[in-house]
Amino acid sequence: MEEEHRFTNREIADILAGVGARLQILDANKFRVIAFQNAAENIRNLAQDINTLDEQGALKSIPGVGNALADAIHALLADGYDAEFDALAAQVPQGVVDMMQIPDMGPKKAKRLWEELGIDSVEALRGAAERGELRDLKGFGAKSEEKILKGIELIGQRTDERLPIGVVRPLALGLVAGLEHALPAHTLQRIEVAGSLRRWKETIGDVDILCVSADAAAVMAAFKNLPEVSRVGSGETKTSVVLGNGLQVDLRVVDAQHWGAALQYFTGSKEHNVAVRELAQKSGWSLNEYGLTATDDGEAPAGQVLFFPSEEEVYAFLGLEWIPPELRENRGEVAAARRNGLPRLITRADIRGELHGHTTWSDGTESVAAMAAAAMARGYRYWAVTDHSVGLGIVQGVDGERLRKQRAEIDAVNSQWAEEGIDFALLQGSEVEILADGTLGLPDDVLAKLDVAVASIHSAQRQDRDTITARTLRAIENPYIDILGHPTGRLLGSRPPTELDMERVLAACAATGTIVEINANPARLDVNDIYARRAIELGCKIAINCDAHAAVEMNLLEYGIGVARRAWLTAADVVNTLPPQALLSQLKRNRRSA
Ligand code: DGT
Ligand code: CA
Ligand code: CA
Ligand code: ZN
């Protein structure tokens, strides 16, 4: 890709984070360090291109960027360097800063390794650890060498530049809206996001946008001029740009007659396309992004070309039902479509309520009444308040005594609505902490009084496989635990899943009637599509919950629906598609006597 020399948001963020790290190593004022770290994070997550902000004189609109930082960033963008940053860089080598990327390697340790052993890069550190030289240092032993080597291996695997769908999707939709806004009416006949984003994959490598237009040149020009775009390159059939946060976006303008084949091709996945192409080949057709061409092996005259204005027609011509993009991973969907056996996938409209959400009683930002009003406004018929139980460290949890007070508040809200003839049930629940020893954050007699209980883990997540599995199984076996919340604890892009033995956990959920959660928060998406599908195979039921800590987070439901659809789930697999009474009778606590 040809490119002008311009810094991306990510590069600026890296430079500022590097300054923060060097200041830490040099024992600078704590607040100065935090200022650089904050500014770096805010710039990393910025949708607008920082160069554009600079041109508008609006750098100070970035949270955490004051006068001095704005001047320094302006110098970086204009001249490519900042004198003060360069002086700092000369004092502490980049390799020492890189060492701080290793888990558990804070500035103090990095500084000692550098000053006392002269280690000034991750590579040098690896060598020294392998040769057993770190144990000479006071406070370091064979164990810490092992830990450091494991950590280096971990950061080596982080080369993967994929971004979570929760970051990419709003940006991609913003670009589409921006293009529509920038172009005269009717210039775009069609526009659609294809690729992994259309398939709702949990992480996205790059965004693929397809459109039909009579004026391809105008579309490409408008695309390159979008404010989020920071670098531009182009090829023969597509324009690629890179956004401020490093995300690549490919835009292709195709002929209307090629639309069906193009959308099918660029939606992927590659594996799905291979399976579809093989099927076409068997009946004498070769499929590409333009259409079908008859080969020598079929009945049609070789070289005959067929075009399809819609994707449905491509699949229909090959004897297949139209396959929803979420299923296109070559996991049996082509065979199922051939025998008209695709599942009727769950949709957002099927959801009638949620069973996991927070209020100001714990770490939510809105009141019980405000969250319930938001749930009602979405057409829900029920919503469960499940504030954190005690046992969660810094978050003030809700104990038996506070739950009693909360119950009075919930009862009052419910009877008010009943009087007004509003059909909505606010349920009282708890997100109960599964403590490190496998006991729960609330005793059974308190759990028994709730309408619903979600159990989850937020602490001691690095326990070994046997310990954390036994701990989780114990919660699943509790008769008052209805739902297992975000089972693997992973945070996309920042924290790996726990070592939980999911096969055993899901089997235990099936055996006990414990519902498995798909946590819809795009930072979690937990369980993922693979485990959700396995859960259903083993006989579990699923709940899809936003785990909302603010009303606006109820919008995240669509990400959970994406996971569920990728797992082949129908409405019947998901308990919160049920009306209130039927839902309650599905909860484990209410099924024991049945
Ligand atoms: P990503 O970007 O890594 O998240 O995943 P995709 O699926 O969006 O992959 P991408 O952007 O490389 O390509 C978009 C679609 O275009 C892909 O899903 C299938 C199609 N495609 C791209 N390259 C090939 C290819 O070499 N063979 C076939 N059959 N299809 C391809
Ligand atoms: Ca892609
Ligand atoms: Ca692509
Ligand atoms: Zn929660």
Side-chain angles (χ1 to χ4, degrees):
M1 198 193 285
E2 61 182 55
E3 49 195 55
E4 309 161 33
H5 184 84
R6 284 183 101 180
F7 282 117
T8 62
N9 294 20
R10 190 188 289 183
E11 286 163 345
I12 295 292
D14 286 343
I15 291 172
L16 297 185
V19 171
R22 288 182 168 94
L23 290 173
Q24 258 184 315
I25 286 182
L26 298 172
D27 267 332
N29 178 297
K30 188 171 80 190
F31 296 104
R32 242 193 122 212
V33 171
I34 293 173
F36 276 97
Q37 289 171 337
N38 279 344
E41 253 352 86
N42 292 334
I43 290 168
R44 206 181 296 283
N45 295 322
L46 203 62
Q48 280 160 296
D49 181 16
I50 196 161
N51 294 282
T52 311
L53 283 179
D54 183 36
E55 283 151 23
Q56 296 166 345
L59 286 174
K60 282 195 284 177
S61 70
I62 305 168
V65 175
N67 283 329
L69 249 177
D71 289 346
I73 295 170
H74 175 75
L76 274 174
L77 294 174
D79 315 327
Y81 72 95
D82 172 273
E84 191 199 340
F85 295 174
D86 275 5
L88 263 174
Q91 273 178 276
V92 183
Q94 181 62 37
V96 177
V97 173
D98 295 341
M99 278 156 54
M100 287 167 60
Q101 292 294 313
I102 301 167
D104 295 326
M105 176 72 59
K108 289 206 177 69
K109 277 192 202 169
K111 183 180 187 180
R112 287 191 54 210
L113 290 164
W114 173 43
E115 286 182 348
E116 295 177 37
L117 296 178
I119 294 172
D120 62 358
S121 71
V122 174
E123 265 321 298
L125 180 61
R126 185 209 302 274
E130 280 170 353
R131 292 187 299 272
E133 292 168 7
L134 303 187
R135 58 191 81 170
D136 301 342
L137 214 56
K138 202 173 142 213
F140 285 76
K143 244 226 159 103
S144 32
E145 284 167 350
E146 208 177 289
K147 244 174 125 180
I148 284 172
L149 286 171
K150 220 173 156 186
I152 292 175
E153 200 184 316
L154 242 162
I155 58 167
Q157 293 162 354
R158 259 196 234 148
T159 49
D160 170 48
E161 293 281 286
R162 305 182 66 82
L163 288 172
I165 186 171
V167 172
V168 174
R169 193 175 143 80
L171 290 174
L173 297 186
L175 294 178
V176 170
L179 259 185
E180 283 170 336
H181 183 77
L183 289 163
H186 312 300
T187 309
L188 285 171
Q189 287 161 256
R190 313 193 66 144
I191 182 158
E192 192 128 12
V193 172
S196 49
L197 192 51
R198 186 167 179 236
R199 305 196 313 275
W200 288 85
K201 214 176 141 140
E202 64 188 33
T203 62
I204 306 295
D206 68 13
V207 175
D208 305 278
I209 301 175
L210 284 190
C211 66
V212 174
S213 172
D215 193 350
V219 174
M220 297 303 193
F223 182 56
K224 293 180 192 173
N225 278 327
L226 290 174
E228 296 90 342
V229 167
S230 113
R231 297 187 205 180
V232 175
S234 40
E236 298 246 318
T237 59
K238 67 169 181 184
T239 296
S240 293
V241 302
V242 177
L243 308 189
N245 69 346
L247 176 67
Q248 182 176 320
V249 183
D250 296 342
L251 176 71
R252 294 178 172 85
V253 182
V254 306
D255 290 346
Q257 60 174 351
H258 298 148
W259 179 258
L263 185 58
Q264 197 284 325
Y265 181 90
F266 290 111
T267 297
S269 67
K270 218 178 264 187
E271 293 74 13
H272 170 84
N273 288 355
V274 167
V276 173
R277 268 207 312 270
E278 272 173 12
L279 190 70
Q281 255 149 19
K282 281 190 195 141
S283 44
W285 294 94
S286 129
L287 175 64
N288 64 18
E289 64 265 51
Y290 301 104
L292 286 162
T293 309
T295 62
D296 295 334
D297 318 329
E299 283 159 24
Q304 186 186 346
V305 182
L306 296 179
F307 295 138
F308 303 90
S310 78
E311 220 183 26
E312 283 82 355
E313 290 161 277
V314 178
Y315 284 103
F317 185 85
L318 298 172
L320 299 171
E321 278 184 86
W322 178 77
I323 302 177
E326 297 91 334
L327 298 183
R328 300 185 195 173
E329 298 291 347
N330 196 26
R331 295 177 184 157
E333 72 280 9
V334 176
R338 262 185 106 169
R339 46 167 208 270
N340 263 323
L342 288 174
R344 203 172 155 153
L345 297 180
I346 187 171
T347 69
R348 230 195 307 179
D350 291 320
I351 298 293
R352 295 230 173 102
E354 287 187 35
L355 302 171
H356 179 178
H358 299 266
T359 72
T360 43
W361 282 86
S362 66
D363 58 350
T365 57
E366 285 168 65
S367 69
V368 165
M371 293 301 276
M376 259 193 278
R378 312 183 65 81
Y380 285 171
R381 295 184 59 192
Y382 50 89
W383 195 78
V385 178
T386 61
D387 279 303
H388 291 285
S389 76
V390 279
L392 198 61
I394 46 172
V395 174
Q396 191 202 0
V398 183
D399 59 10
E401 181 54 30
R402 291 187 72 223
L403 276 171
R404 247 171 11 92
K405 291 186 186 141
Q406 191 195 49
R407 173 65 92 175
E409 183 175 327
I410 289 174
D411 284 348
V413 173
N414 276 326
S415 36
Q416 171 88 36
W417 287 327
E419 266 171 43
E420 292 170 29
I422 298 170
D423 176 25
F424 184 90
L426 192 55
L427 304 176
Q428 189 187 31
S430 171
E431 182 176 20
V432 189
E433 189 63 15
I434 308 175
L435 303 170
D437 64 359
T439 59
L440 295 171
L442 292 171
D444 280 5
D445 63 322
V446 172
L447 290 176
K449 295 194 190 101
L450 299 169
D451 299 318
V452 58
V454 180
S456 26
I457 288 182
H458 300 87
S459 53
Q461 308 200 49
R462 296 220 219 154
Q463 285 176 336
D464 65 44
R465 189 173 176 87
D466 288 343
T467 310
I468 200 159
T469 302
R471 170 184 179 192
T472 305
L473 291 177
R474 202 168 150 191
I476 292 169
E477 277 148 21
N478 184 300
Y480 301 108
I481 294 303
D482 305 295
I483 301 174
L484 183 63
H486 49 74
T488 77
R490 63 106 173 246
L491 292 177
L492 271 168
S494 64
R495 188 202 291 148
T498 63
E499 291 191 19
L500 206 59
D501 182 341
M502 281 303 284
E503 189 66 21
R504 285 184 66 195
V505 163
L506 295 176
C509 286
T512 55
T514 308
I515 296 158
V516 176
E517 180 177 74
I518 292 177
N519 191 294
N521 187 311
R524 292 192 181 275
L525 301 181
D526 186 8
V527 292
N528 66 14
D529 52 350
I530 306 283
Y531 289 140
R533 196 172 174 188
R534 182 67 184 141
I536 293 302
E537 276 173 9
L538 290 171
C540 303
K541 291 286 183 202
I542 299 283
I544 306 174
N545 296 314
C546 290
D547 188 2
H549 287 66
V552 61
E553 291 184 6
M554 291 186 203
N555 293 336
L556 302 176
L557 182 70
E558 58 185 1
Y559 294 101
I561 298 290
V563 172
R565 289 170 63 89
R566 286 176 61 82
W568 293 53
L569 301 195
T570 67
D573 297 318
V574 177
V575 293
N576 51 322
T577 61
L578 294 168
Q581 282 313 317
L583 163 86
L584 289 172
S585 70
Q586 281 288 305
L587 299 180
K588 187 163 83 188
R589 62 181 57 240
N590 303 324
R591 297 197 333 178
R592 280 176 306 137
S593 46

